[in-house]
Amino acid sequence: MTLRITTKEEYQLAYEKSVSSPRTFWAEQADTFEWFEKYKEVVEWEFDTPSVKWFIGGKTNITVNCLDRHLKGRGEQTAILWEANDPNAESISLSYKELHSRVCQFANALKAQGVGKGDRVVLYMPMVVELAIATLACARIGAIHSVVFAGFSASALASRVDDATAKVILTADGNNRGKKHIPVKSIVDDALKLGCKSVERVIVLNNTGLDVTWGDRDLWWSDAIKGQSIQCSPEPMDSEDPLFILYTSGSTGKPKGVVHTCGGYMVYAEYSFKNVFQYEEKDIYWCTADIGWITGHTYIVYGPLLAGATSMMFEGVPTFPDAGRFWQICDKHNVNIFYTAPTAIRALMACGDEWVEKYDLSSLKVLGSVGEPINEEAWQWYSEKVGKGILPIVDTWWQTETGGIMISPLAGITDTIPSYATLPLPGIQPCLVDAEGIEQPAGEAEGLLCIKHPWPSMLRTTWGDHQRCQLTYFSAFKGMYFTGDGARRNADGAYRILGRVDDVMNVSGHRLGTAEVENAINEHEAVIESAVVGYPHDIKGQGIFAYVICKDGAANDPEFKAAINKVVVKEIGPIAKPDKLLVVPALPKTRSGKIMRRILRKIAAGEGDQLGDVSTLLNPEIVETIKSHAADV
Ligand code: WT7
């Protein structure tokens, strides 16, 4: 078991040691895991190409550390506690022993379908226990899992399946989300029509009993596991073998497949989980994310299970059947550690305090926040209403690419400051640079957030395109990983994340590229050109504002907006629907033809009177036209 810091002084000492002797520091953590073969070197790295390797030569399997090593001491303890969408349905509790058996059984089912080490398996599933089981089953046999959030469209799914050249898709007949019943299998069928030539099998979980159409490649989950043994020896994995691919949006082009590897990810997942949340034996831990995002990978599945925790999984949504659902679940299961997103906090805050006050939340010890900057008002509400003014809130900053939490208070150990993620975890060396890449001296500063030294769970590459990884993260500033975020640091070294400085939006904690949404909008036959920007939104953090140039006939009316929404839902999914749409005769451009997004962002934010000098534009007159119409949408 990795070590847990328990005092501020220990944090300070651990941090200093992690900087002065990173190899010794990380070896101490790594040595608490089970390895089939011990690593020979702790780390070798350079950030130019880049090449980063941790625990070199080590052989392990993350599922041995998540499951097998707990069987003796906590076999009967609940590993996964599942709460259904329907509040009247029974919860499911899987002990470590049961989870082990079911993971092994499904691993054998995958093997029987010809899946082996290095093969890619896409999981497009509801938040049911089988999703966690199947994720771990892939890891058991060394197959590379790629979980695709089940809210993405058939087209988005197909492009991920194609990029990963997945051999198998795992899905379910349907998905219960709030009042909705989503026909998941039929979305997979549509994706298969769009491409997915690499797919040999689709394994379908009998989940909601929804009618499905059946094809040659389809196999019911229940048939796949029939007769399969509940023992499956773990595939020995090199530390640097890929564990999973997770697609995420960037400022250009299609989403990229962020690749995480077995050894380093494992070490950092447990280490960060235990320290940030100050997990103690027997704590009931609940992260409300979906396993389709990195938060679910690291802090529903791997981190908690590595630590031997009880991890809750929730099928539903925060507002079904009412805005008290989260708190009802905390009360029902005596949740001790609760980790959610600012967008959920703001949405629930808007529903009124009575929903929180109705339930007994006295079991709670630690509150967490993730995914976007948490504004001071939401932080205070969370602290006072949910935390009764006494619980620590850990505002955790990290990214799909970082694999685990990078900057965050350690609950109850280091200080919290509203809207600050505060201090880096031991082993993490952030810095702020200016546009030229000059590092700001220690102390108070503002700049672009970079990381100077590798950490075990950092991305290794982007699937199938290493150059893209180099260009996106390692080319802006030599010798540093560039996060894409801007940040401010106070005199005590605490960081406040200001948000993305690139063309990436964060809508309700979901990451979307402006280019990705524009490409979707441009699919509409009436659209000539579009420009998408994020703007401040009370609940979502950022909303999507789309400026669209159209062929004759299209107008600023609800029908056209609905038609655009339809293509966006088809190309990406409901999360990418523009909140505001404005048909414009032209877009403000520089003389070299580049869209001036800065101006569009200001107008979208309602700050059209603070544009400054626009006279150098190719078409300065358009600014007034856009401004006068923007107020109406
Ligand atoms: C981007 C990464 C990491 C889990 C979920 C999101 C923003 C994330 C915070 C925070 C301010 C945050 C950043 C980051 N972000 N956490 N605590 N405070 N901003 O992962 O989809 O990869 O998005 O989310 O802008 O770059 P992701």
Side-chain angles (χ1 to χ4, degrees):
M1 299 274 124
T2 57
L3 314 169
R4 184 162 64 86
I5 290 161
T6 56
T7 63
K8 220 183 232 181
E9 293 67 38
E10 273 176 31
Y11 164 77
Q12 207 54 49
L13 287 174
Y15 192 83
E16 280 156 21
K17 181 169 178 183
S18 78
V19 174
S20 61
S21 329
R23 288 183 167 78
T24 324
F25 177 83
W26 286 114
E28 274 172 20
Q29 305 305 331
D31 290 348
T32 65
F33 291 84
E34 287 191 13
W35 298 86
F36 300 127
E37 255 176 67
K38 198 180 148 100
Y39 53 87
K40 292 170 187 69
E41 277 293 334
V42 176
V43 61
E44 261 176 30
W45 65 285
E46 48 86 2
F47 277 178
D48 292 331
T49 48
S51 164
V52 174
K53 296 190 178 100
W54 281 89
F55 311 116
I56 299 158
K59 300 269 185 286
T60 186
N61 186 296
I62 196 167
T63 70
V64 168
N65 286 290
C66 284
L67 302 171
D68 304 59
R69 73 167 162 161
H70 298 314
L71 292 182
K72 235 172 149 190
R74 59 178 94 245
E76 305 304 327
Q77 184 199 313
T78 302
I80 292 180
L81 181 56
W82 178 83
E83 180 69 21
N85 181 56
D86 173 359
N88 300 313
E90 265 193 61
S91 316
I92 295 175
S93 121
L94 289 180
S95 67
Y96 272 92
K97 208 166 139 221
E98 287 163 330
L99 182 60
H100 178 270
S101 300
R102 292 193 57 185
V103 167
C104 287
Q105 183 187 46
F106 197 71
N108 287 325
L110 286 172
K111 276 192 186 169
Q113 295 307 317
V115 179
K117 181 173 176 180
D119 287 338
R120 275 79 59 208
V121 176
V122 163
L123 294 84
Y124 185 76
M125 294 184 63
M127 277 289 286
V128 289
V129 292
E130 285 81 0
L131 171 54
I133 290 169
T135 303
L136 292 161
C138 290
R140 187 78 173 177
I141 63 172
I144 303 169
H145 57 77
S146 186
V147 185
V148 176
F149 173 59
F152 279 118
S153 69
S155 158
L157 171 62
S159 72
R160 286 158 173 79
V161 169
D162 284 338
D163 189 81
T165 54
K167 196 169 186 178
V168 170
I169 299 180
L170 308 177
T171 189
D173 47 5
N175 183 1
N176 297 319
R177 299 256 316 151
K179 282 190 218 117
K180 291 191 210 139
H181 304 282
I182 301 155
V184 190
K185 165 70 164 65
S186 93
I187 300 173
V188 173
D189 291 342
D190 291 344
L192 290 170
K193 283 178 209 142
L194 297 169
C196 310
K197 295 287 173 272
S198 57
V199 175
E200 294 169 13
R201 261 287 170 256
V202 178
I203 304 182
V204 187
L205 179 71
N206 332 51
N207 187 40
T208 60
L210 205 75
D211 270 345
V212 292
T213 41
W214 213 244
D216 292 344
R217 283 186 275 201
D218 300 336
L219 175 67
W220 283 113
W221 200 283
S222 50
D223 290 330
I225 59 175
K226 208 166 275 167
Q228 295 298 342
S229 157
I230 56 168
Q231 293 298 331
C232 172
S233 45
E235 184 72 31
M237 302 296 285
D238 189 275
S239 291
E240 285 301 326
D241 280 334
L243 173 63
F244 64 85
I245 306 170
L246 187 58
Y247 285 85
T248 191
S249 298
S251 50
T252 54
K254 280 191 190 170
K256 45 188 173 285
V258 167
V259 176
H260 284 288
T261 57
C262 296
Y265 176 82
M266 171 176 83
V267 171
Y268 199 77
E270 185 186 334
Y271 179 77
S272 55
F273 171 75
K274 270 198 180 156
N275 279 290
V276 169
F277 299 105
Q278 288 292 302
Y279 168 76
E280 291 175 306
E281 283 291 314
K282 305 265 179 335
D283 279 347
I284 308 288
Y285 162 86
W286 180 21
C287 164
T288 68
D290 191 289
I291 292 177
W293 312 113
I294 190 71
T295 308
H297 281 61
T298 312
Y299 299 112
I300 296 178
V301 181
Y302 289 116
L305 296 179
L306 285 163
T310 296
S311 183
M312 260 226 354
M313 245 181 109
F314 175 43
E315 184 183 34
V317 297
T319 48
F320 178 81
D322 58 48
R325 191 66 201 277
F326 273 3
W327 323 123
Q328 177 257 329
I329 296 174
C330 286
D331 186 347
K332 176 176 174 190
H333 293 290
N334 294 312
V335 171
N336 304 113
I337 305 173
F338 178 73
Y339 189 31
T340 195
T343 193
I345 297 168
R346 288 189 297 261
L348 296 178
M349 182 168 86
C351 296
D353 298 352
E354 62 271 25
W355 297 107
V356 193
E357 286 158 2
K358 240 170 102 173
Y359 297 98
D360 176 3
L361 300 180
S362 59
S363 58
L364 288 173
K365 299 195 294 188
V366 173
L367 304 177
S369 169
V370 60
E372 38 172 333
I374 177 164
N375 50 309
E376 188 140 2
E377 196 192 349
W379 197 98
Q380 295 297 358
W381 185 84
Y382 198 26
S383 170
E384 272 152 41
K385 297 298 161 191
V386 185
K388 313 298 175 201
I390 51 172
L391 299 188
I393 296 180
V394 290
D395 175 1
T396 63
W397 174 84
W398 57 299
Q399 309 177 297
T400 304
E401 294 85 346
T402 69
I405 297 167
M406 302 287 280
I407 303 182
S408 168
L410 307 186
I413 306 288
T414 59
D415 300 336
T416 62
I417 314 171
S419 78
Y420 276 71
T422 74
L423 301 176
L425 264 65
I428 306 306
Q429 299 186 32
C431 65
L432 298 172
V433 304
D434 66 14
E436 274 72 54
I438 308 294
E439 186 179 340
Q440 308 294 300
E444 229 175 306
E446 188 171 319
L448 304 167
L449 182 62
C450 293
I451 317 285
K452 290 194 280 192
H453 189 277
W455 62 101
S457 65
M458 69 186 292
L459 88 162
R460 300 299 194 265
T461 188
T462 43
W463 182 257
D465 191 352
H466 191 64
Q467 200 192 353
R468 190 160 177 209
C469 172
Q470 198 274 333
L471 280 172
T472 313
Y473 308 105
F474 298 91
S475 68
F477 307 110
K478 200 174 157 45
M480 292 185 207
Y481 166 83
F482 175 44
T483 64
D485 281 314
R488 188 176 298 154
R489 188 175 54 213
N490 73 11
D492 302 324
Y495 287 84
R496 174 181 187 165
I497 309 301
L498 301 172
R500 303 289 306 198
V501 295
D502 54 7
D503 290 320
V504 169
M505 298 176 290
N506 193 326
V507 181
S508 301
H510 301 317
R511 183 164 155 183
L512 290 164
T514 53
E516 201 184 347
V517 181
E518 288 161 7
N519 290 340
I521 292 173
N522 297 349
E523 287 293 308
H524 189 286
E525 54 179 16
V527 174
I528 296 170
E529 193 180 5
S530 62
V532 162
V533 297
Y535 71 96
H537 187 288
D538 283 349
I539 304 283
K540 297 176 164 189
Q542 272 190 315
I544 302 178
F545 197 122
Y547 299 88
V548 184
I549 307 175
C550 288
K551 292 179 191 152
D552 287 347
N556 275 310
D557 56 36
E559 287 75 47
F560 183 61
K561 183 160 193 293
I564 293 292
N565 279 349
K566 207 170 150 204
V567 288
V568 173
V569 169
K570 179 169 169 277
E571 295 298 318
I572 305 173
I575 56 176
K577 275 193 284 195
D579 298 276
K580 294 187 176 184
L581 185 132
L582 183 65
V583 177
V584 293
L587 292 164
K589 289 193 174 169
T590 61
R591 286 175 202 275
S592 58
K594 229 180 118 221
I595 298 174
M596 282 294 281
R597 287 172 187 281
R598 184 183 60 81
I599 290 175
L600 296 176
R601 271 196 288 267
K602 282 262 181 209
I603 296 175
E607 296 167 358
D609 49 347
Q610 302 164 31
L611 295 180
D613 183 18
V614 297
S615 62
T616 56
L617 287 177
L618 183 68
N619 50 353
E621 70 289 347
I622 195 65
V623 174
E624 279 310 314
T625 316
I626 296 179
K627 254 166 66 178
S628 65
H629 288 111
D632 304 334
V633 295

